[in-house]
């Protein structure tokens, strides 16, 4: 995993794990790798992984079972809520960047529709 120096590493780890969950690589109820193993795999400090998982546990995305490990929540409503939240965060970033280019909302929508149409043609 390549880390961005401008974003805290624990935050990037959270987003990486969220992506794995939302794309089905980690299914609801799946056991996460051990903290030490994640640290080795991602080449980061164990405390950094612990902080990321701690926040995910607090948010209800990961459940911790003492002596057994950490697991993806089985609460599909919570996972759907996470997907909605991450989608809105991405859209907010894109919107702010496009607005900074002095595009109107209508121009942003038209551009997005054009982009989606072009992407659809590339996949056909």
């Amino acid at each position: 995993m390549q880390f961005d120096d401008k974003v805290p590493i624990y935050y990037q780890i959270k987003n990486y794990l969220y992506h794995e969950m939302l794309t089905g690589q980690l299914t609801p109820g799946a056991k996460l790798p051990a903290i030490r193993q994640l640290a080795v795999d991602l080449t980061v400090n164990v405390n950094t992984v612990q902080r990321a998982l701690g926040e995910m546990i607090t948010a209800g995305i990961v459940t911790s079972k003492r002596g057994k490990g950490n697991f993806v929540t089985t609460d599909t409503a919570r996972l759907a809520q996470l997907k909605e939240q991450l989608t809105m965060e991405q859209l907010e970033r894109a919107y702010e960047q496009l607005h900074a280019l002095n595009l109107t909302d209508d121009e942003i929508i038209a551009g997005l529709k054009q982009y989606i149409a072009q992407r659809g043609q590339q996949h056909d």
Side-chain angles (χ1 to χ4, degrees):
M1 181 173 173
Q2 294 289 331
F3 292 106
D4 180 351
D5 292 340
K6 298 176 187 117
V7 179
I9 292 174
Y10 81 91
Y11 185 80
Q12 293 177 69
I13 293 169
K14 279 181 15 180
N15 283 332
Y16 165 76
L17 291 171
Y18 288 160
H19 183 268
E20 295 290 296
M21 292 172 195
L22 296 174
T23 60
Q25 301 299 313
L26 288 171
T27 57
K31 187 176 191 291
L32 295 175
I35 292 172
R36 292 188 194 287
Q37 187 59 51
L38 269 174
V40 168
D41 293 346
L42 300 173
T43 62
V44 297
N45 187 293
V46 172
N47 294 332
T48 305
V49 174
Q50 183 63 50
R51 180 172 181 188
L53 288 175
E55 288 193 8
M56 294 171 79
I57 290 167
T58 300
I61 303 300
V62 170
T63 58
S64 182
K65 296 180 182 173
R66 189 176 183 104
K68 295 187 180 195
N70 296 306
F71 298 82
V72 177
T73 184
T74 55
D75 183 351
T76 54
R78 182 64 190 109
L79 291 171
Q81 189 179 40
L82 172 65
K83 186 174 186 176
E84 172 77 15
Q85 174 190 338
L86 295 177
T87 299
M88 287 299 127
E89 287 174 8
Q90 291 294 322
L91 289 172
E92 180 182 5
R93 275 191 218 103
Y95 180 80
E96 294 301 325
Q97 290 174 346
L98 292 170
H99 237 292
L101 296 174
N102 293 323
L103 294 175
T104 65
D105 290 352
D106 289 338
E107 289 171 323
I108 292 170
I109 291 168
L112 182 57
K113 286 180 179 179
Q114 180 182 356
Y115 175 78
I116 291 170
Q118 289 172 348
R119 288 288 303 222
Q121 291 171 358
Q122 291 175 359
H123 292 295
D124 291 341

